[in-house]
C-alpha cells in the first residue's frame, strides 16, 4: 500500500486531511513537526508528502529543502497546504523549495483528491518501471551466470520443448541455435521418463505439496556428431510469482572425464590385484623350482650322456629354465620388480633400442624425436622391454609389412590435468608414441588389452598369448608414468607412453 506523509503542527488539521483523502487506498503517516517528518522518512518510503507551511521551529519551506538534499527523498513530490500565506511571494517560495503544488485553504476536496491521486498514479508507474528495470537486471545477471556455465543448461516449456539453452549446451550437443530451439527434450535425452516428468508437472504451484525435482540422475545425452554422451542430470520446475508453471530447467553435466577417472581407478585396482597375485605366485613357484632343480642336479651328478635317463633330466632342466624365465615375468608384474633407475637421455637410447632386431623387413621404423627432449630417470632394461613388446605387437599386426612411426616430445601439463583419466601430477612428461598401420582393435576390446593372457589375435597361431602388455603396464606404472592405447579398425593402433621428466634438456 502506498504511503502519504502528512505534516502539520495541529492534530485537528491532520485528522481533517485524513478524512478528506479517506477514499484513497493509502496509508497515512502523521508528523507534527519537521524533525518528526525527517525521522519518518528514515523508516518508510512515501509516494507523496503534504506539508503545512507555518509550523513552529522548522517551517514547511525548510523541511522541503532538507528533503531535497537526501538521496532517498530528493524526488519525493511535495504539496504545500496553507491557510495564512497565499500571496505570490510565498507561493513562489514554495515552488523554489521544491514543491510540486501550492494549495490555499479553504480548498475544494475533490480538487485535492484529484491532485493527490495524480501523484499516486505517477508513483505507481515509477515503481512499476523501476521494478521492471530491476527484473531485467536480475535476468541479465542470471543469464550471464547460467550461459557461462560449462554444463549443459536447457529450459523447456510445459510441453517439453526447448525454449532456452546456454553456449555450453550448444557446444556439447553440437546443434546450432536455430535447430535446437523448439526441439522436444526427447531428441536430446533418450529416456522418455524425463519428458513425461515435465508434462506431468502441476500447472499451479501447490503450497501443500511441492512438485518433485530430479537430482543427479545418470542418463544419456544424444548429440549430433559426438554420439551418446553419459551425463548427470538435475531438473526442477519453473513457477512465476503467481504460482503458474512456465516449464522446467535441466542441467546436464558431462560425465565422460569422470567415467575415464573411474575406469582408470578400477583398472589400477585390478592391476594392483594382479601384481599382488603375481608376487605370491612367483614366490611360491621359485620355492618349488628350487627343489625341482636341486633334485635334477643331484640325479644328473656323475651321469654320462650314454645313460638312458640323461635326455629326460636334460629336458626337465630345460623346462625348469623356461619356468624360471616365466617367474621373472611374474616378478616384473609384482612390486618386487622395482626398477633400477638412472638418468637417461632418450634420443640416443631410442636410437640404440630401435635397431634392425626390432624394426626390420617387411616392417620399417620412422622416428621423429624432438631435439630438446628432457632426460628421464628410468630403468633402461625395463623401458627397453616395454618398447620391444609394443614394437613386436605392431609387427604382428602388420603381417604384410608397413611402417611404424615413433615420435617423442616434451609435454607440460597443468595442475591435475588428465589423460584418459590418468592425473598428470608431475607436470613435465616425455610423451613417446608408437603408431602402426595394422588392422586395429575394436573399441570394446581396448579396455582389456592390458589384462594378462587376453588377446584379440589368432589363438590357434598362439600369437599374443602372454603377459607382454600386462608387464609393460606394470613397468610404466612403477616409473610413475602412464600407458594408453588408441586404435581404429582398419587404420592402426597407437600406444602412448608418458614418462615423468627428470629436468630440463641436457
Amino acid at each position: 500500500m502506498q504511503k502519504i506523509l502528512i505534516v502539520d503542527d495541529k492534530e485537528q488539521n491532520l485528522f481533517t486531511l485524513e478524512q478528506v483523502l479517506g477514499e484513497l487506498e493509502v496509508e497515512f503517516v502523521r508528523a507534527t513537526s519537521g524533525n518528526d517528518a525527517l525521522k519518518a522518512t528514515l523508516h518508510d518510503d512515501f509516494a507523496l508528502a503534504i506539508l503545512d507551511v507555518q509550523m513552529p521551529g522548522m517551517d514547511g519551506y525548510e523541511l522541503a529543502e532538507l528533503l531535497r538534499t537526501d538521496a532517498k527523498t530528493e524526488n519525493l513530490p511535495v504539496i504545500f497546504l496553507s491557510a495564512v500565506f497565499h500571496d505570490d511571494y510565498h507561493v513562489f517560495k514554495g515552488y523554489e523549495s521544491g514543491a510540486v503544488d501550492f494549495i490555499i485553504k479553504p480548498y475544494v476536496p475533490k480538487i485535492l483528491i484529484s491532485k493527490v491521486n495524480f501523484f499516486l498514479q505517477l508513483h505507481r508507474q515509477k515503481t512499476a518501471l523501476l521494478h521492471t528495470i530491476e527484473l531485467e537486471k536480475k535476468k541479465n545477471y542470471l543469464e550471464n551466470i547460467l550461459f557461462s556455465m560449462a554444463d549443459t543448461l536447457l529450459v523447456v516449456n510445459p510441453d517439453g520443448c526447448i525454449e532456452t539453452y546456454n553456449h555450453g549446451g550448444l557446444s556439447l550437443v553440437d546443434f546450432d541455435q536455430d535447430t535446437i530451439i523448439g526441439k522436444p527434450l526427447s531428441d536430446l535425452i533418450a529416456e522418455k521418463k524425463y519428458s513425461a516428468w515435465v508434462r506431468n508437472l502441476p500447472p499451479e504451484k501447490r503450497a501443500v505439496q511441492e512438485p518433485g525435482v530430479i537430482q543427479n540422475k545418470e542418463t544419456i545425452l544424444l548429440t549430433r556428431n559426438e554420439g551418446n554422451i553419459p551425463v548427470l542430470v538435475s531438473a526442477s520446475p519453473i513457477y512465476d510469482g503467481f504460482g503458474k508453471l512456465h516449464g522446467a530447467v535441466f542441467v546436464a553435466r558431462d560425465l565422460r572425464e569422470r567415467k575415464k577417472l573411474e575406469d582408470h581407478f578400477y583398472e589400477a585396482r585390478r592391476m594392483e590385484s594382479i601384481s599382488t597375485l603375481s608376487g605370491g605366485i612367483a614366490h611360491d613357484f621359485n620355492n618349488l623350482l628350487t627343489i625341482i632343480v636341486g633334485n635334477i642336479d643331484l640325479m644328473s651328478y656323475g651321469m654320462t650322456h650314454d645313460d638312458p635317463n640323461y635326455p629326460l633330466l636334460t629336458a626337465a632342466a630345460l623346462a625348469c629354465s623356461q619356468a624360471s624365465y616365466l617367474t621373472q615375468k611374474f616378478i616384473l608384474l609384482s612390486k618386487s620388480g622395482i626398477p633400477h633407475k638412472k638418468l637417461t637421455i632418450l634420443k640416443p637410447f631410442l636410437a640404440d633400442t630401435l635397431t634392425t632386431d626390432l624394426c626390420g623387413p617387411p616392417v620399417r621404423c620412422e622416428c621423429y624425436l624432438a631435439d630438446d627432449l628432457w632426460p628421464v630417470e628410468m630403468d633402461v632394461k625395463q623401458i627397453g622391454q616395454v618398447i620391444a613388446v609394443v614394437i613386436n605387437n605392431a609387427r604382428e599386426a602388420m603381417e604384410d609389412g608397413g611402417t611404424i612411426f615413433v615420435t617423442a616430445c616434451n609435454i607440460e601439463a597443468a595442475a591435475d590435468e588428465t589423460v584418459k583419466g590418468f592425473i598428470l601430477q608431475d607436470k613435465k612428461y616425455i610423451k613417446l608414441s608408437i603408431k602402426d598401420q595394422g588392422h586395429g582393435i575394436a573399441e570394446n576390446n581396448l579396455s582389456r588389452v592390458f589384462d594378462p593372457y587376453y588377446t584379440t589375435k589368432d589363438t590357434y597361431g598362439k600369437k599374443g598369448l602372454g603377459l607382454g602388455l600386462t608387464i609393460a603396464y606394470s613397468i610404466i606404472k612403477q616409473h610413475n608414468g602412464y600407458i594408453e592405447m588408441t586404435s581404429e579398425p582398419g587404420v592402426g593402433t597407437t600406444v602412448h607412453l608418458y614418462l615423468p621428466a627428470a629436468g630440463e634438456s641436457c
Side-chain angles (χ1 to χ4, degrees):
M1 182 177 290
Q2 293 172 290
K3 294 182 180 181
I4 296 178
L5 175 65
I6 53 176
V7 185
D8 198 302
D9 60 313
K10 297 181 174 59
E11 289 284 351
Q12 62 269 28
N13 291 341
L14 295 174
F15 176 78
T16 301
L17 189 58
E18 289 179 354
Q19 297 303 310
V20 171
L21 301 176
E23 65 182 65
L24 300 175
E25 294 183 359
V26 294
E27 179 182 342
F28 295 99
V29 176
R30 291 185 178 190
T32 55
S33 68
N35 288 329
D36 289 343
L38 292 175
K39 290 179 183 178
T41 61
L42 298 176
H43 306 290
D44 294 303
D45 293 319
F46 296 101
L48 178 67
I50 301 175
L51 313 181
D52 183 24
V53 174
Q54 187 179 21
M55 293 186 294
M58 184 188 304
D59 63 22
Y61 300 135
E62 293 174 305
L63 175 58
E65 290 174 354
L66 288 174
L67 290 175
R68 290 290 170 265
T69 60
D70 192 311
K72 185 178 180 182
T73 55
E74 61 181 351
N75 295 315
L76 177 66
V78 173
I79 295 177
F80 279 120
L81 290 181
S82 178
V84 177
F85 303 115
H86 51 78
D87 56 278
D88 291 344
Y89 168 79
H90 287 92
V91 172
F92 284 124
K93 186 176 181 180
Y95 286 123
E96 286 177 353
S97 64
V100 296
D101 207 343
F102 197 105
I103 299 175
I104 299 171
K105 299 178 183 178
Y107 50 79
V108 178
K110 287 187 177 181
I111 294 178
L112 178 62
I113 292 173
S114 178
K115 290 185 175 184
V116 169
N117 196 40
F118 172 75
F119 288 109
L120 291 177
Q121 289 179 358
L122 287 179
H123 180 263
R124 285 194 292 267
Q125 292 173 2
K126 174 186 173 183
T127 303
L129 180 60
L130 291 175
H131 181 66
T132 301
I133 293 173
E134 188 64 28
L135 287 178
E136 191 65 26
K137 286 181 179 178
K138 289 182 179 179
K139 178 185 175 184
N140 292 336
Y141 178 70
L142 291 174
E143 283 183 349
N144 288 334
I145 293 175
L146 295 177
F147 289 171
S148 64
M149 291 171 57
D151 294 337
T152 298
L153 182 140
L154 301 170
V155 177
V156 299
N157 61 24
D159 295 326
C161 294
I162 298 170
E163 287 189 334
T164 308
Y165 58 88
N166 69 332
H167 296 298
L170 277 185
S171 61
L172 183 62
V173 300
D174 203 22
F175 287 106
D176 56 57
Q177 62 182 35
D178 295 330
T179 304
I180 198 171
I181 296 297
K183 257 186 176 298
L185 182 65
S186 57
D187 282 5
L188 295 183
I189 300 180
E191 292 185 78
K192 304 299 182 185
K193 63 181 181 181
Y194 295 101
S195 298
W197 174 81
V198 175
R199 290 193 297 270
N200 291 330
L201 288 171
E204 301 287 339
K205 187 176 182 180
R206 296 186 292 265
V208 178
Q209 184 179 3
E210 293 290 334
V213 297
I214 297 172
Q215 291 185 334
N216 298 330
K217 300 295 183 182
E218 284 196 31
T219 186
I220 298 297
L221 191 68
L222 306 178
T223 69
R224 188 166 63 176
N225 295 317
E226 295 292 327
N228 297 341
I229 295 178
V231 293
L232 198 65
V233 166
S234 297
S236 60
I238 302 174
Y239 290 95
D240 63 17
F242 301 100
K244 184 180 178 182
L245 179 69
H246 279 258
V249 58
F250 282 79
V251 179
R253 173 160 294 179
D254 190 349
L255 290 182
R256 286 178 295 182
E257 195 63 31
R258 196 182 86 174
K259 291 290 186 183
K260 290 173 186 176
L261 286 170
E262 290 176 353
D263 291 343
H264 174 72
F265 173 76
Y266 292 129
E267 181 183 31
R269 290 291 297 271
R270 186 173 70 250
M271 298 305 294
E272 185 76 17
S273 300
I274 291 173
S275 173
T276 303
L277 177 63
S278 299
I281 290 175
H283 177 269
D284 294 341
F285 201 42
N286 262 336
N287 289 338
L288 294 174
L289 279 178
T290 301
I291 298 172
I292 295 171
V293 171
N295 282 289
I296 290 175
D297 287 343
L298 289 174
M299 291 177 66
S300 61
Y301 181 76
M303 186 178 290
T304 63
H305 290 64
D306 298 332
D307 192 302
N309 291 321
Y310 185 81
L312 299 176
L313 292 175
T314 301
L318 179 61
C320 287
S321 177
Q322 293 172 339
S324 178
Y325 176 70
L326 180 61
T327 304
Q328 293 304 312
K329 288 188 174 182
F330 281 118
I331 290 175
L332 280 175
L333 272 176
S334 69
K335 292 181 179 179
S336 302
I338 297 174
H340 301 287
K341 301 177 183 179
K342 66 177 182 178
L343 193 66
T344 305
I345 308 300
L346 274 183
K347 197 164 186 177
F349 163 76
L350 291 173
D352 293 339
T353 303
L354 299 171
T355 60
T356 54
D357 292 335
L358 288 179
C359 297
V363 175
R364 63 191 184 92
C365 287
E366 291 187 10
C367 296
Y368 302 92
L369 312 177
D371 293 328
D372 60 344
L373 289 178
W374 294 319
V376 176
E377 287 278 353
M378 69 181 195
D379 186 315
V380 174
K381 184 177 179 181
Q382 288 188 6
I383 298 299
Q385 184 177 350
V386 171
I387 294 174
V389 167
V390 176
I391 295 292
N392 285 332
N393 283 348
R395 289 176 61 88
E396 290 179 1
M398 298 188 296
E399 296 176 350
D400 298 329
T403 303
I404 297 175
F405 300 93
V406 181
T407 61
C409 62
N410 300 325
I411 64 169
E412 192 163 357
D416 292 338
E417 185 176 336
T418 62
V419 174
K420 295 286 187 180
F422 173 71
I423 300 177
L424 302 178
Q425 296 176 336
D426 290 319
K427 295 187 179 180
K428 292 185 177 182
Y429 285 80
I430 308 299
K431 181 180 179 182
L432 176 63
S433 301
I434 302 172
K435 179 180 180 181
D436 65 46
Q437 296 176 319
H439 45 69
I441 302 172
E443 185 178 355
N444 59 327
N445 290 324
L446 279 176
S447 62
R448 298 191 59 191
V449 292
F450 297 111
D451 290 355
Y453 296 104
Y454 179 79
T455 183
T456 60
K457 302 174 184 176
D458 177 19
T459 56
Y460 296 101
K462 303 299 180 184
K463 290 183 178 180
L465 290 176
L467 298 169
L469 285 177
T470 311
I471 292 173
Y473 181 96
S474 180
I475 289 174
I476 296 299
K477 182 181 178 183
Q478 292 189 48
H479 280 76
N480 297 320
Y482 182 63
I483 179 172
E484 67 162 324
M485 182 181 293
T486 59
S487 187
E488 184 178 348
V491 176
T493 300
T494 304
V495 177
H496 301 288
L497 307 176
Y498 296 85
L499 293 171
E504 299 296 333
S505 179
C506 295

